[in-house]
Amino acid sequence: MLNIINTLALIYPKTEKKPVVDTYFNTEVTDNYRWLEDDRSVETKDWVKAQNKVTFNYLNQISYRDQLKNRLASLWNYEKIGTPFIEGDYTYFSKNNGLQNQSVIYRTIDNSEPEIFLDPNTFSKDGTTSLGALSFSKDGKTAAYSISEGGSDWRKIIIIDVVSKKQKEPVIVDVKFSGISWYKNEGFYYSSYDKPTGSELSAKTDQHKLYYHKLGTSQEDDIVIFGEKTSEKHRYIGGYVTEDNRFLIITAQISTSGNKLFIKDLSEEKSTLKPIIETLESDTYVIDNKASTLFLATNLNAPNKKVVTVDFSNPTPKNWQDFIPETEHVLAISKGANYLFANYMVDAVSKVFQYNFNGEFIREISLPGIGSVTGFGGKIEAKELYFSFTNYNTPNSSYKFNPENGSYQTYWKPKVAFNTDDYISKQVFYPSKDGTKIPMIITHKKGIELNGKNPTILYGYGGFNVSLTPSFSIANLVWMEQGGVYAVANLRGGGEYGKKWHNAGIKLKKQNVFDDFIAAAEFLIDSKYTSSEFLAIRGGSNGGLLVGAILTQKPTLAKVALPAVGVLDMLRYHTFTAGAGWAYDYGTANDNKEMFEYLKGYSPVHNVKKGIAYPATLITTGDHDDRVVPAHSFKFAAELQEKQTGKNPTLIRIETNAGHGAGTPIAKTIAQFADIFGFTLFNMGFKKLPNKLKDR
């Protein structure tokens, strides 16, 4: 039974302590809430229900929560159309009428009226089953698509006839962390793990395998191409076929950074797998090939990445030739219409250059503005390509690009009910604790007064070589409508300045990330954008760790803390699902004494102390999150609720039938943002909304 205990501010469900003691390098560590890791137990399920009851009772008292929800829904309700792509006789595109939980895949032939091809909203009654990968055979007559149920990373693959849209053969089950790559019209490659014993949502998954499924055969007969042998054991394995169907490329990783690379000539029946690179010291992949010449993107001895060429006959690094040399800016590469497009990140914004496959520079592409660009991908025979552009105050728009002359025209621009000109985005550079200059983009309504009283959300990530580049968000717009400031700091540990920037925020240098974030907050406060009383800190996943660490290290920095789906138990993260693959960034408590002590020194779960007034905290997670298991959030909430001093609430909002984020229904997303913004403003002292919302 769940009993109730009193705090000064709220009545929380009592979380029973059941101590489990682990010993690391002769140091005993007590885990009082290990039982919350069992996601299948009745006790855990009862705890989740009790916590949600307390949380929603609290949120229901915020008078303007429904106003925020209605405004979010109103602004979200605009048509969204994805860039088209051609497969076989059809042109496909995604479309969302506005508030559909999942976007729908449409198709057209010979400019006919578009028809629905796949509608994920029909996959489940509550919209929690989403579309993952969608891939077509080379002739475009057969399609295979994956679905996620309840937000889980475990997927099913369904194979259909394109014309009739009817299922062709039994569903392929238990697929995880996988693409779908076709070989001709005969079958496709996909990846998965053996189904774990115990909980499929939290049990460790450690040995990934690449399979080949031949159409017309049973999944039981699918061939393991790579990953079954002990010598081939890796946590992440992927396989893809080059556009000309000649080569199979296999990537193998033990962590989220660094991969081995292998190639097989599919045109030779008895060909064997040939290594391109057998170490894990770089991120390298094959972009394309011209006959036997391979084009590779790599950061081997090139932290900002470059493009190299090599012949298939002897593809190891000693034979690589620079094709697009490394520059001072981070490179991302795409191909389409027989061209290469080099997308450089310059202080977190895009610049794009076009090359041909002879290595000749064609042009710099004049972009619609300062922001983030994606796209320019397509098949070799494509006559036109598409790209998307966005920034913090410009909704994502798509453009049709002519690769021969470099001209482009608007393909689709959303009609959102707000005026872009009312908002301003500004990039600043501030010094971190050690003097390193860190970029940050600050966005808000024009004309706000720098009086230290603007409600502000500071967002960060700082890990896994991930770059936070400018992008538009309806949710952030609603925040800024209320006079809110939205700031994004490009912390070390990310990829904004290449591999060196990433490596400056990993393992024993992880504190750099936290220091960068603290310095960002102090810059906003010193510049009078806000003050500690009007500052919220927010981040998800690795960013949830960031918020948890800041909350425990510097509890007076912000008024509100919003850790989402966070990695919060740094001593045990590697024991769940594929968590061991994050060791490149974090290290593990089993590595050595120094690493153990460092992790324990900042692990949020292990650094909540009695007698401290922590910020008002709303932890968010999903009960089907099998990437960062919700036990991290459960244990952190239990620690905070027991030890919090003062009246600030420490609540956890647990979304049901939801995972790490991808594929979450729009209705759930809107409700979550309304709760987050309502909780934040309410705890900053706003009894009513700063700016009255009009009924629209």
Side-chain angles (χ1 to χ4, degrees):
M1 290 289 293
L2 285 163
N3 298 314
I4 301 295
I5 57 171
N6 241 320
T7 72
L8 292 172
L10 272 168
I11 299 175
Y12 299 111
K14 181 181 178 182
T15 308
E16 186 179 353
K17 292 183 178 179
K18 300 179 183 180
V20 176
V21 178
D22 296 311
T23 301
Y24 301 88
F25 304 99
N26 298 318
T27 300
E28 290 188 346
V29 178
T30 301
D31 186 345
N32 288 316
Y33 305 116
R34 181 75 54 85
W35 63 273
L36 285 170
E37 294 178 4
D38 186 355
D39 53 83
R40 299 182 300 171
S41 77
V42 173
E43 279 183 298
T44 301
K45 290 175 181 175
D46 286 346
W47 185 89
V48 167
K49 289 177 184 175
Q51 290 288 344
N52 268 344
K53 184 176 180 181
V54 170
T55 296
F56 284 103
N57 282 344
Y58 179 92
L59 294 171
N60 287 338
Q61 297 176 55
I62 300 172
S63 62
Y64 44 78
R65 183 162 151 253
D66 282 343
Q67 286 177 268
L68 288 168
K69 186 175 179 180
N70 292 338
R71 181 58 176 154
L72 281 160
S74 173
L75 278 175
W76 222 295
N77 193 13
Y78 69 92
E79 187 178 68
K80 305 163 190 74
I81 296 177
T83 55
F85 57 96
I86 297 171
E87 296 289 350
D89 297 329
Y90 294 93
T91 298
Y92 296 84
F93 62 93
S94 65
K95 178 181 173 183
N96 192 305
N97 290 336
L99 294 177
Q100 289 174 290
N101 279 321
Q102 306 289 344
S103 293
V104 179
I105 306 297
Y106 285 81
R107 71 180 181 189
T108 181
I109 186 169
D110 297 329
N111 295 316
S112 62
E113 188 70 21
E115 66 167 350
I116 292 174
F117 179 62
L118 287 174
D119 184 358
N121 298 290
T122 65
F123 293 173
S124 60
K125 290 182 179 179
D126 60 0
T128 58
T129 299
S130 60
L131 178 67
L134 170 61
S135 183
F136 292 82
S137 60
K138 299 303 179 181
D139 62 8
K141 293 181 179 179
T142 307
Y145 64 91
S146 63
I147 61 170
S148 165
E149 296 168 310
S152 172
D153 279 332
W154 287 102
R155 306 289 165 93
K156 296 174 179 176
I157 295 177
I158 299 164
I159 303 161
I160 62 172
D161 174 78
V162 162
V163 176
S164 68
K165 295 181 275 189
K166 291 182 179 178
Q167 189 172 325
K168 293 184 70 168
E169 48 185 83
V171 173
I172 294 176
V173 298
D174 299 336
V175 176
K176 190 172 186 180
F177 296 154
S178 178
I180 302 171
S181 184
W182 283 85
Y183 172 63
K184 299 183 177 178
N185 307 309
E186 299 174 11
F188 54 82
Y189 296 88
Y190 68 95
S191 306
S192 196
Y193 305 90
D194 293 336
K195 203 68 175 286
T197 55
S199 169
E200 70 175 59
L201 293 178
S202 59
K204 192 171 184 177
T205 47
D206 211 31
Q207 187 163 355
H208 217 199
K209 298 175 184 177
L210 179 69
Y211 293 86
Y212 178 69
H213 176 76
K214 185 176 181 179
L215 291 185
T217 65
S218 167
Q219 183 178 2
E220 294 176 359
D221 298 323
D222 289 353
I223 302 167
V224 180
I225 304 299
F226 188 86
E228 191 163 42
K229 301 173 186 174
T230 303
S231 61
E232 296 173 348
K233 183 179 178 181
H234 294 81
R235 292 194 182 95
Y236 311 108
I237 293 171
Y240 57 98
V241 180
T242 54
E243 190 174 344
D244 64 359
N245 285 299
R246 179 171 173 185
F247 296 115
L248 169 66
I249 312 298
I250 296 177
T251 61
Q253 301 172 252
I254 61 169
S255 189
T256 50
S257 184
N259 68 278
K260 299 175 186 176
L261 192 64
F262 305 91
I263 188 168
K264 178 180 172 66
D265 189 345
L266 298 175
S267 68
E268 296 288 339
E269 188 175 343
K270 295 184 179 180
S271 68
T272 56
L273 209 57
K274 182 182 291 190
I276 296 177
I277 186 166
E278 293 187 272
T279 65
L280 295 164
E281 59 185 309
S282 72
D283 301 288
T284 302
Y285 64 94
V286 176
I287 307 162
D288 204 354
N289 67 294
K290 296 294 181 185
S292 65
T293 300
L294 307 176
F295 294 78
L296 298 89
T298 185
N299 59 10
L300 182 65
N301 301 318
N304 293 336
K305 282 197 176 175
K306 63 181 179 179
V307 177
V308 298
T309 59
V310 71
D311 193 81
F312 167 71
S313 60
N314 198 350
T316 56
K318 66 180 181 180
N319 299 304
W320 293 359
Q321 298 292 320
D322 281 5
F323 185 76
I324 300 177
E326 183 191 22
T327 72
E328 62 181 314
H329 303 300
V330 181
L331 169 68
I333 199 83
S334 59
K335 68 179 180 74
N338 210 26
Y339 290 101
L340 291 172
F341 295 88
N343 188 337
Y344 289 99
M345 191 163 30
V346 183
D347 294 330
V349 300
S350 296
K351 286 194 174 185
V352 181
F353 302 89
Q354 183 178 352
Y355 294 85
N356 65 23
F357 275 89
N358 294 322
E360 297 166 338
F361 171 74
I362 304 299
R363 63 178 61 87
E364 178 179 358
I365 297 165
S366 177
L367 300 176
I370 298 173
S372 302
V373 169
T374 57
F376 297 104
K379 295 181 179 177
I380 190 171
E381 70 271 14
K383 302 300 180 189
E384 53 196 26
L385 301 173
Y386 295 85
F387 69 90
S388 298
F389 173 82
T390 184
N391 58 32
Y392 288 114
N393 60 341
T394 303
N396 198 62
S397 302
S398 53
Y399 298 83
K400 183 189 292 187
F401 174 78
N402 184 323
E404 296 307 317
N405 61 26
S407 65
Y408 59 84
Q409 62 191 61
T410 302
Y411 170 74
W412 176 78
K413 208 164 194 174
K415 296 177 181 176
V416 187
F418 88 108
N419 185 2
T420 307
D421 294 336
D422 291 344
Y423 298 84
I424 187 170
S425 240
K426 177 171 109 171
Q427 187 174 56
V428 300
F429 293 84
Y430 64 90
S432 188
K433 183 178 181 179
D434 63 0
T436 301
K437 291 289 185 183
I438 312 295
M440 176 166 59
I441 294 181
I442 306 169
T443 310
H444 54 79
K445 254 186 172 181
K446 289 179 179 175
I448 66 165
E449 187 180 348
L450 298 184
N451 58 8
K453 296 182 179 180
N454 300 300
T456 298
I457 291 176
L458 172 61
Y459 185 88
Y461 188 79
F464 295 91
N465 208 29
V466 171
S467 301
L468 298 185
T469 57
S471 63
F472 179 77
S473 160
I474 286 291
N476 293 336
L477 172 61
V478 170
W479 175 256
M480 292 187 293
E481 276 189 332
Q482 293 305 309
V485 174
Y486 184 71
V488 177
N490 297 112
L491 316 172
R492 281 175 285 184
E496 289 87 352
Y497 294 103
K499 198 64 180 173
K500 289 180 180 177
W501 194 253
H502 176 203
N503 287 341
I506 65 171
K507 294 189 174 80
L508 298 173
K509 297 179 181 177
K510 190 67 178 174
Q511 187 62 40
N512 284 339
V513 184
F514 310 144
D515 290 342
D516 292 353
F517 198 68
I518 291 167
E522 291 171 342
F523 176 90
L524 292 167
I525 292 167
D526 292 344
S527 303
K528 302 294 184 184
Y529 282 99
T530 192
S531 61
S532 290
E533 286 299 301
F534 294 96
L535 177 64
I537 53 175
R538 185 164 185 263
S541 196
N542 176 72
L545 162 62
L546 170 70
V547 172
I550 303 302
L551 180 158
T552 51
Q553 289 185 12
K554 208 167 177 67
T556 60
L557 182 68
K559 180 64 179 176
V560 178
L562 303 165
V565 293
V567 187
L568 298 160
D569 183 342
M570 299 310 296
L571 300 187
R572 286 182 55 75
Y573 78 86
H574 60 292
T575 64
F576 305 113
T577 63
W582 311 335
Y584 181 92
D585 265 61
Y586 298 145
T588 77
N590 300 328
D591 289 350
N592 52 59
K593 185 178 181 182
E594 183 184 24
M595 194 72 250
F596 155 68
E597 290 176 345
Y598 193 86
L599 287 166
K600 186 174 181 292
Y602 75 77
S603 175
V605 163
H606 298 91
N607 283 280
V608 182
K609 297 179 175 62
K610 284 187 177 180
I612 292 178
Y614 290 103
T617 303
L618 180 62
I619 302 164
T620 52
T621 189
D623 67 346
H624 277 61
D625 190 343
D626 47 5
R627 195 169 311 173
V628 180
V629 295
H632 285 277
S633 295
F634 295 173
K635 291 161 79 170
F636 191 50
E639 292 285 350
L640 281 171
Q641 288 177 356
E642 184 210 352
K643 296 173 181 174
Q644 169 74 294
T645 297
K647 296 182 179 180
N648 287 334
T650 51
L651 301 172
I652 181 168
R653 184 189 188 280
I654 305 154
E655 191 69 74
T656 55
N657 272 335
H660 201 59
T664 302
I666 294 298
K668 285 182 180 285
T669 301
I670 287 172
Q672 187 177 87
F673 273 115
D675 291 347
I676 289 170
F677 292 160
F679 177 88
T680 300
L681 291 169
F682 187 75
N683 281 284
M684 289 176 176
F686 292 97
K687 303 301 181 189
K688 59 182 182 179
L689 287 175
N691 292 329
K692 186 177 179 181
L693 287 172
K694 298 176 183 177
D695 294 327
R696 305 191 185 193

